[in-house]
Amino acid sequence: MADQTAPSMDYAEHERTYAGFINFSKVGTIAVINIMLCLALFAFGGGAGTFFGWVALIATMVAAAIGLFAGEKGWIPSAVVFGITGLLAILTTA
């Protein structure tokens, strides 16, 4: 039988892929929670809540896109939008 050896693993590529997956998971989780907050604004915020809900929804998509390309600290833009949306939800639904 011929001497068959498995090719060596590309550990640098595996680590890069894993880091990308973790970044996507963080950004995606914060974006989904923010979308749920926008839905609460649509349901309970009245006219102002609907307006701010659309603005926050667009800002969420932009922040998520920026965060996916930002690397390890990519969750920060989505977290900032989440904080602002949370404050808007408190102010418009109260």
Side-chain angles (χ1 to χ4, degrees):
M1 193 161 238
D3 186 26
Q4 296 180 357
T5 59
S8 64
M9 298 291 288
D10 188 2
Y11 288 107
E13 185 64 25
H14 284 272
E15 290 176 6
R16 191 178 73 77
T17 301
Y18 180 71
F21 171 76
I22 294 298
N23 183 43
F24 178 78
S25 297
K26 287 189 258 185
V27 171
T29 300
I30 295 171
V32 166
I33 293 170
N34 202 12
I35 290 171
M36 291 171 49
L37 194 56
C38 290
L39 290 173
L41 277 170
F42 293 146
F44 303 113
T50 302
F51 173 74
F52 289 132
W54 280 111
V55 171
L57 189 61
I58 293 168
T60 297
M61 296 302 146
V62 171
I66 291 170
L68 289 176
F69 291 106
E72 186 176 323
K73 301 287 184 182
W75 59 272
I76 294 174
S78 293
V80 169
V81 172
F82 175 72
I84 293 170
T85 305
L87 290 174
L88 289 172
I90 291 170
L91 293 174
T92 57
T93 57

